[in-house]
Amino acid sequence: MAELNAFVSPKYPVLHSVDRSGNERDIGSGGHVALSLGLLVKGIPSFLATIPVVDSEVDGISDSLRTGDVRVAVVGVSVDDGEIAEEISAPEPWQQSPDENRRLPAAYLSLVCSDGRRIGVARIVAREGSATPEEVARFVLKQIAKGVQIPDLASAP
Protein backbone atom coordinates (compact mmCIF):
# COMPACT_ATOMS: atom_id res chain seq x y z
CA MET A 1 0.00 0.00 0.00
CA ALA A 2 1.27 3.46 -0.86
CA GLU A 3 2.32 5.71 1.99
CA LEU A 4 -0.10 8.59 2.50
CA ASN A 5 1.14 12.08 3.28
CA ALA A 6 -1.00 13.92 5.80
CA PHE A 7 -0.83 17.68 6.03
CA VAL A 8 -1.89 19.21 9.32
CA SER A 9 -3.04 22.74 10.09
CA PRO A 10 -2.31 24.90 13.09
CA LYS A 11 -4.88 24.69 15.88
CA TYR A 12 -8.28 26.31 15.41
CA PRO A 13 -11.14 26.83 17.85
CA VAL A 14 -14.00 24.57 16.82
CA LEU A 15 -17.74 25.17 16.83
CA HIS A 16 -20.25 22.35 16.74
CA SER A 17 -23.94 21.76 17.06
CA VAL A 18 -26.04 18.60 17.20
CA ASP A 19 -29.44 18.30 15.51
CA ARG A 20 -31.51 15.46 16.90
CA SER A 21 -34.66 16.47 15.02
CA GLY A 22 -34.65 13.16 13.18
CA ASN A 23 -34.95 14.34 9.58
CA GLU A 24 -33.77 10.96 8.30
CA ARG A 25 -33.81 12.04 4.66
CA ASP A 26 -30.96 14.46 5.38
CA ILE A 27 -28.83 12.39 7.75
CA GLY A 28 -29.42 8.76 6.92
CA SER A 29 -31.30 5.97 8.58
CA GLY A 30 -32.53 5.93 12.18
CA GLY A 31 -30.05 6.10 15.02
CA HIS A 32 -28.09 8.95 13.47
CA VAL A 33 -27.99 12.65 14.32
CA ALA A 34 -26.58 15.57 12.35
CA LEU A 35 -23.34 17.06 13.68
CA SER A 36 -22.49 20.45 12.18
CA LEU A 37 -18.86 21.52 12.42
CA GLY A 38 -17.10 24.82 11.89
CA LEU A 39 -13.80 26.48 12.65
CA LEU A 40 -12.95 29.96 13.82
CA VAL A 41 -10.38 31.08 11.24
CA LYS A 42 -8.90 34.45 12.13
CA GLY A 43 -11.92 35.03 14.38
CA ILE A 44 -14.45 34.39 11.60
CA PRO A 45 -16.68 31.28 11.64
CA SER A 46 -15.96 28.97 8.71
CA PHE A 47 -18.44 26.14 8.08
CA LEU A 48 -16.88 22.74 7.43
CA ALA A 49 -19.68 20.21 7.09
CA THR A 50 -22.70 18.54 8.60
CA ILE A 51 -22.05 14.84 9.02
CA PRO A 52 -24.19 11.93 10.23
CA VAL A 53 -23.09 10.51 13.57
CA VAL A 54 -24.43 7.46 15.40
CA ASP A 55 -26.61 8.82 18.20
CA SER A 56 -24.89 6.70 20.85
CA GLU A 57 -21.49 8.20 19.92
CA VAL A 58 -22.42 11.88 19.72
CA ASP A 59 -21.84 12.63 23.43
CA GLY A 60 -18.28 11.26 23.29
CA ILE A 61 -17.57 13.20 20.11
CA SER A 62 -18.99 16.39 21.64
CA ASP A 63 -16.80 15.85 24.71
CA SER A 64 -13.74 15.50 22.46
CA LEU A 65 -14.62 18.68 20.59
CA ARG A 66 -14.93 20.53 23.89
CA THR A 67 -11.43 19.50 25.07
CA GLY A 68 -9.84 22.35 23.15
CA ASP A 69 -8.77 23.53 19.74
CA VAL A 70 -8.58 21.11 16.82
CA ARG A 71 -6.26 20.64 13.88
CA VAL A 72 -7.39 19.89 10.36
CA ALA A 73 -5.64 16.89 8.85
CA VAL A 74 -5.79 16.57 5.07
CA VAL A 75 -4.64 13.48 3.20
CA GLY A 76 -4.22 13.38 -0.55
CA VAL A 77 -5.92 10.34 -2.09
CA SER A 78 -6.94 9.13 -5.53
CA VAL A 79 -10.49 8.07 -6.27
CA ASP A 80 -12.06 6.34 -9.25
CA ASP A 81 -14.49 8.64 -10.98
CA GLY A 82 -16.91 5.69 -10.79
CA GLU A 83 -16.99 6.19 -7.00
CA ILE A 84 -18.41 9.67 -7.51
CA ALA A 85 -20.49 8.96 -10.62
CA GLU A 86 -23.74 9.75 -8.81
CA GLU A 87 -22.34 13.19 -7.93
CA ILE A 88 -21.37 13.99 -11.53
CA SER A 89 -23.97 14.81 -14.16
CA ALA A 90 -23.91 13.10 -17.54
CA PRO A 91 -20.93 14.19 -19.63
CA GLU A 92 -21.26 16.26 -22.75
CA PRO A 93 -20.59 14.40 -26.04
CA TRP A 94 -16.98 15.66 -26.21
CA GLN A 95 -16.18 14.50 -22.66
CA GLN A 96 -15.01 11.10 -21.49
CA SER A 97 -17.78 8.52 -21.36
CA PRO A 98 -18.81 7.26 -17.90
CA ASP A 99 -17.66 3.70 -18.64
CA GLU A 100 -14.04 4.87 -19.01
CA ASN A 101 -12.78 4.88 -15.42
CA ARG A 102 -10.06 7.32 -14.51
CA ARG A 103 -8.38 8.29 -11.27
CA LEU A 104 -8.98 11.75 -9.86
CA PRO A 105 -6.94 13.46 -7.14
CA ALA A 106 -8.82 14.22 -3.94
CA ALA A 107 -8.32 15.40 -0.40
CA TYR A 108 -9.82 13.68 2.63
CA LEU A 109 -10.38 16.05 5.57
CA SER A 110 -10.63 15.12 9.20
CA LEU A 111 -10.50 16.99 12.47
CA VAL A 112 -7.99 15.92 15.08
CA CYS A 113 -9.25 16.78 18.56
CA SER A 114 -6.98 17.66 21.47
CA ASP A 115 -7.64 14.24 22.99
CA GLY A 116 -6.56 12.47 19.78
CA ARG A 117 -10.00 11.60 18.37
CA ARG A 118 -10.24 11.91 14.58
CA ILE A 119 -13.51 12.93 12.97
CA GLY A 120 -13.92 12.44 9.22
CA VAL A 121 -15.39 15.59 7.72
CA ALA A 122 -15.30 15.69 3.92
CA ARG A 123 -13.76 14.49 0.69
CA ILE A 124 -12.96 17.09 -1.94
CA VAL A 125 -12.41 15.65 -5.42
CA ALA A 126 -10.63 17.68 -8.10
CA ARG A 127 -12.52 17.98 -11.36
CA GLU A 128 -9.40 17.43 -13.43
CA GLY A 129 -6.67 14.85 -13.03
CA SER A 130 -3.84 17.32 -13.69
CA ALA A 131 -2.78 17.73 -10.03
CA THR A 132 -1.40 15.11 -7.67
CA PRO A 133 -3.40 14.12 -4.59
CA GLU A 134 -0.75 15.81 -2.43
CA GLU A 135 -1.12 19.06 -4.38
CA VAL A 136 -4.89 18.94 -3.90
CA ALA A 137 -4.44 18.29 -0.16
CA ARG A 138 -2.04 21.23 0.21
CA PHE A 139 -4.36 23.49 -1.78
CA VAL A 140 -7.36 22.56 0.39
CA LEU A 141 -5.43 23.20 3.61
CA LYS A 142 -4.23 26.61 2.34
CA GLN A 143 -7.77 27.56 1.40
CA ILE A 144 -9.11 26.57 4.83
CA ALA A 145 -6.42 28.76 6.42
CA LYS A 146 -7.75 31.67 4.33
CA GLY A 147 -11.28 31.03 5.62
CA VAL A 148 -12.71 29.59 2.41
CA GLN A 149 -15.89 27.68 3.17
CA ILE A 150 -15.78 23.98 2.30
CA PRO A 151 -18.97 24.15 0.17
CA ASP A 152 -17.34 26.97 -1.82
CA LEU A 153 -14.10 25.01 -2.11
CA ALA A 154 -15.96 21.93 -3.30
CA SER A 155 -17.35 23.92 -6.21
CA ALA A 156 -14.01 25.51 -7.15
CA PRO A 157 -12.49 24.42 -10.48
Side-chain angles (χ1 to χ4, degrees):
M1 180 176 185
E3 184 176 322
L4 299 176
N5 288 326
F7 303 95
V8 182
S9 76
K11 290 183 177 182
Y12 294 107
V14 65
L15 307 169
H16 74 284
S17 115
V18 177
D19 180 8
R20 296 179 191 261
S21 66
N23 188 350
E24 293 181 4
R25 188 181 74 214
D26 293 335
I27 59 175
S29 60
H32 286 80
V33 298
L35 176 65
S36 294
L37 298 161
L39 301 175
L40 283 177
V41 178
K42 300 178 186 172
I44 300 171
S46 178
F47 174 73
L48 284 178
T50 298
I51 59 172
V53 175
V54 176
D55 193 16
S56 62
E57 295 178 8
V58 76
D59 290 335
I61 292 171
S62 289
D63 290 344
S64 291
L65 290 168
R66 283 191 285 269
T67 61
D69 295 347
V70 299
R71 294 182 187 270
V72 178
V74 184
V75 176
V77 295
S78 291
V79 296
D80 286 327
D81 63 355
E83 293 178 45
I84 56 170
E86 65 277 357
E87 302 169 23
I88 299 174
S89 59
E92 297 296 332
W94 62 86
Q95 294 176 322
Q96 179 179 1
S97 68
D99 58 338
E100 296 177 35
N101 277 344
R102 61 186 174 134
R103 305 285 291 165
L104 296 173
Y108 179 77
L109 282 68
S110 61
L111 294 183
V112 181
C113 299
S114 294
D115 67 0
R117 182 187 295 258
R118 292 177 85 75
I119 302 168
V121 175
R123 179 181 67 180
I124 308 279
V125 180
R127 293 181 187 175
E128 300 295 325
S130 58
T132 67
E134 290 76 19
E135 289 170 332
V136 172
R138 279 192 217 102
F139 174 78
V140 167
L141 200 56
K142 286 178 185 174
Q143 295 303 302
I144 289 171
K146 292 179 181 179
V148 173
Q149 308 288 307
I150 293 297
D152 294 338
L153 183 56
S155 64

